[in-house]
Amino acid sequence: MSEVPYKPEELLINTFAGLLDGVGHVAVGALSPIPGCAALLAQELAKQKGRDVQVSIIHGDANNPFTDGGRELFDCAGQGRIGAFFLGGAQIDGEANINLLGVGEYPDLKKRFPGSFGSAYVYFVIPKVILFAPEHSARVLVEKVDFISAPGTSPPNVHRPGGPKALVTGKCCMTFDAAAKRFTLVSVHPGVTVEEVRDNTGFDFDLINDVGTTLEPDGERLALLRGAIGPKIAKTYPDFAARVFGQG
Amino acid sequence: MTTFENLDTLARRIGDGQLLALAPDYSWVPMALVRALIRRKVLGKVKNLHLLTVPIGGLAADMLIGAGAVGTLEAAAVSLGEAGLAPRFTDAVEAGTLHMRDSTCPAIHTALQASEKGVPFMPLSGLIGSDLVKYRDDWKVVDDPLGAGGGPVVLLPAIKPDVALFHSPRADVHGNVWIGRRRELATMAHASASALVTVEAVEDRNFLEDEETAAGTLGAMYVTAIATAEKGAWPQGLTGLYERDTDHIRAYAEQAKTAEGFADYLKAHVLNEPGDEDGA
């Protein structure tokens, strides 16, 4: 156990920030407070090592450097100017196909979700896409998605500099191997077992030899999160900042 | 010439079956005009709209759908954001009463840019292997036609809306409209045959004569008509002037989960405003 109690969100933020190490420009889409905090934390950690990281949060005007309208994020990504991005999915399958659109056979959906947003493009052009599934269940992590908003992999003739590199859920962290089209479990969050992950995952996945426990944020990291990142993210997500960091 | 008129005459310019391009909730959505349009729908004056959200829809799209004004919807997504799923949209799709043309954000931006440039289509990378492409019979996958080894690309036909709709903090008396960094509003207006704009206020000056305002201005040549609507984006926010009314939107998300609740919402917040009873 970490010496300072922390919230589940703080573990996820810390985990994502670790995955962003070395990325020069992190963009974060709408409705993504946890990835937004992770990007700002990664920026802060890089600053301590004397490196600059650009963080672009597409939700409101704070932390948002874009001035050329909704297209600019995508144009910027298409040029290769964005290194990492986060995507969720109402369904994610074992080949990293993601579905943000609905359950059932299109167009006669049993359950409709908002839609594919920009996923059908950014999943191809941003080198490090990190998948996020807060609810780790066989309902979300399915064998085969009902609708492919964006495919996990592409044939070699398709221009695809980007794609999924990792999946972080409420229970574990996995990496994705595009050549093998498979996820590999690398760590389980504190208190979670490998069996529990298997029981709640609808697809088959590999394991690294020694599946460890996801690194917990230490006191220094938590102080940084609550002291420096909280006030910054409060400009974009005041409710989230108040709930998780007690400020806003 | 841009004309200055009122909310009802602005709404009267929108006809049956027209393709409307609508600003998203985060980008100066013209909620007062949407409410005026719903009052016209209730009067039987407008129906079967083809709505294009640029690129995602929210409260405004959900209300127009719930009111039965929309026949076809082209969108990358429709959501109430932090307040959750858009309930009337979700219901309409699940009931099969809304014709969906599902898209993705950059495809909508690109198809509007094609229209801006006056070309019939534009290519976009990505997309291949997405089921969106499978179900869009107007999109076409071709091999890189220049033979430069780029592989397959998707061609998107230009989208040319009949009308672009948005709200802004201010216009000037010459019909120029301030859009600041909300450049998607310029793209929408450039691509559309007409633009109907509501503003908080009209200023007695010329934005184009000052370099600091000129760069953030949509020129009057694209603006068909302007009406003043104070708090015209409410319950959404307007940059620098008022914040989004989060409590109201959360209450809507809850109330509009049923058709009856939505009808009550309309009575309380839309049909209570002065109507357009004898409008053409």
Side-chain angles (χ1 to χ4, degrees):
Chain A
M1 220 17 229
S2 171
E3 73 270 33
V4 182
Y6 59 84
K7 295 208 166 84
E9 290 89 347
E10 291 174 317
L11 177 81
L12 293 170
I13 293 165
N14 192 49
T15 304
F16 281 132
L19 291 167
L20 294 173
D21 189 29
V23 174
H25 183 180
V26 185
V28 182
L31 288 178
S32 307
I34 290 174
C37 289
L40 292 169
L41 178 60
Q43 183 183 49
E44 199 60 36
L45 294 171
K47 197 190 284 176
Q48 293 175 356
K49 296 187 212 160
R51 285 196 300 110
D52 280 336
V53 171
Q54 167 73 38
V55 173
S56 304
I57 297 180
I58 318 307
H59 186 108
D61 290 334
N63 306 305
N64 184 345
F66 295 125
T67 57
D68 199 22
R71 74 169 78 148
E72 191 179 355
L73 164 70
F74 302 104
D75 291 352
C76 201
Q79 288 184 305
R81 290 177 185 268
I82 295 174
F85 195 78
F86 299 87
L87 282 176
Q91 291 180 330
I92 298 171
D93 72 22
E95 295 190 0
N97 299 308
I98 61 173
N99 172 12
L100 293 148
L101 190 135
V103 173
E105 194 170 339
Y106 190 89
D108 303 316
L109 299 168
K110 288 201 287 269
K111 182 71 199 148
R112 172 76 200 204
F113 301 120
S116 301
F117 293 94
S119 66
Y121 185 74
V122 296
Y123 214 26
F124 286 77
V125 294
I126 296 181
K128 181 181 272 189
V129 177
I130 300 168
L131 297 171
F132 182 26
E135 176 190 320
H136 187 133
S137 72
R139 196 172 70 116
V140 174
L141 305 173
V142 296
E143 189 177 6
K144 190 92 193 104
V145 294
D146 289 1
F147 184 94
I148 300 175
S149 287
T153 61
S154 299
N157 67 328
V158 173
H159 175 67
R160 183 154 196 181
K165 293 292 182 286
L167 165 66
V168 177
T169 74
K171 293 186 189 298
C172 71
C173 301
M174 296 186 182
T175 54
F176 184 70
D177 179 344
K181 298 190 185 184
R182 282 179 72 85
F183 283 103
T184 300
L185 179 67
V186 293
S187 74
V188 288
H189 299 341
V192 178
T193 64
V194 173
E195 289 66 38
E196 191 182 338
V197 168
R198 214 184 277 290
D199 289 347
N200 288 283
T201 306
F203 56 78
D204 192 30
F205 55 87
D206 298 324
L207 306 177
I208 59 164
N209 281 336
D210 187 14
V211 175
T213 303
T214 307
L215 193 66
E216 295 174 273
D218 60 18
E220 194 186 335
R221 184 64 57 88
L222 288 167
L224 189 62
L225 254 180
R226 294 165 189 176
I229 308 306
K232 278 191 195 170
I233 205 69
K235 290 182 191 155
T236 305
Y237 296 106
D239 293 352
F240 177 86
R243 183 169 58 79
V244 176
F245 305 121
Q247 52 197 231
Chain B
M1 277 296 286
T2 308
T3 63
F4 289 86
E5 42 192 66
N6 65 45
L7 205 54
D8 286 329
T9 58
L10 216 59
R12 259 181 240 166
R13 290 174 174 272
I14 297 164
D16 288 349
Q18 283 192 325
L19 172 52
L20 306 188
L22 184 65
D25 283 3
Y26 57 80
S27 179
W28 305 3
V29 65
M31 291 303 304
L33 181 56
V34 165
R35 287 190 289 271
L37 197 51
I38 290 173
R39 288 191 288 274
R40 285 189 57 74
K41 163 65 180 97
V42 170
L43 292 173
K45 307 273 190 192
V46 63
K47 59 178 184 292
N48 201 28
L49 296 172
H50 181 165
L51 186 66
L52 172 76
T53 62
V54 183
I56 59 177
L59 180 65
D62 199 60
M63 286 171 61
L64 286 167
I65 293 163
V70 182
T72 299
L73 174 68
E74 177 158 4
V78 182
S79 157
L80 295 182
E82 285 152 303
L85 293 175
R88 297 332 300 152
F89 160 75
T90 309
D91 254 24
V93 176
E94 290 171 4
T97 56
L98 180 67
H99 178 228
M100 271 309 291
R101 291 158 71 84
D102 276 296
S103 188
T104 181
C105 304
I108 291 176
H109 294 305
T110 301
L112 289 172
Q113 284 178 272
S115 185
E116 260 187 316
K117 293 177 198 303
V119 293
F121 60 84
M122 271 178 53
L124 184 65
S125 61
L127 278 64
I128 290 166
S130 164
D131 283 341
L132 293 171
V133 178
K134 186 159 91 182
Y135 293 106
R136 285 295 297 251
D137 55 13
D138 57 331
W139 293 359
K140 190 170 180 187
V141 180
V142 299
D143 277 329
D144 170 10
L146 300 183
V153 290
V154 181
L155 303 183
L156 308 166
I159 301 177
K160 191 174 177 60
D162 294 303
V163 190
L165 305 176
F166 69 91
H167 183 70
S168 154
R170 54 200 176 128
D172 69 21
V173 290
H174 304 281
N176 301 306
V177 177
W178 167 257
I179 58 166
R181 68 169 99 171
R182 304 268 45 121
R183 302 298 304 175
E184 57 272 353
L185 303 178
T187 304
M188 264 170 53
H190 295 168
S192 301
S194 65
L196 305 178
V197 181
T198 56
V199 298
E200 294 289 319
V202 178
E203 298 179 13
D204 186 13
R205 56 183 287 202
N206 187 338
F207 294 154
L208 298 181
E209 286 175 355
D210 178 346
E211 273 310 294
E212 293 205 4
T213 47
T217 294
L218 173 69
M221 73 168 116
Y222 300 103
V223 182
T224 311
I226 295 172
T228 302
E230 280 178 38
K231 290 212 79 182
W234 176 87
Q236 301 297 342
L238 191 61
T239 316
L241 290 179
Y242 44 91
E243 293 291 320
R244 185 171 40 168
D245 187 343
T246 312
D247 290 344
H248 184 93
I249 297 167
R250 284 191 199 284
Y252 171 87
E254 194 52 41
Q255 196 176 4
K257 278 183 180 161
T258 63
E260 298 72 29
F262 177 72
D264 290 342
Y265 177 88
L266 286 192
K267 264 186 223 143
H269 299 288
V270 178
L271 305 178
N272 65 326
E273 288 178 38
D276 184 23
E277 279 151 30
D278 51 7

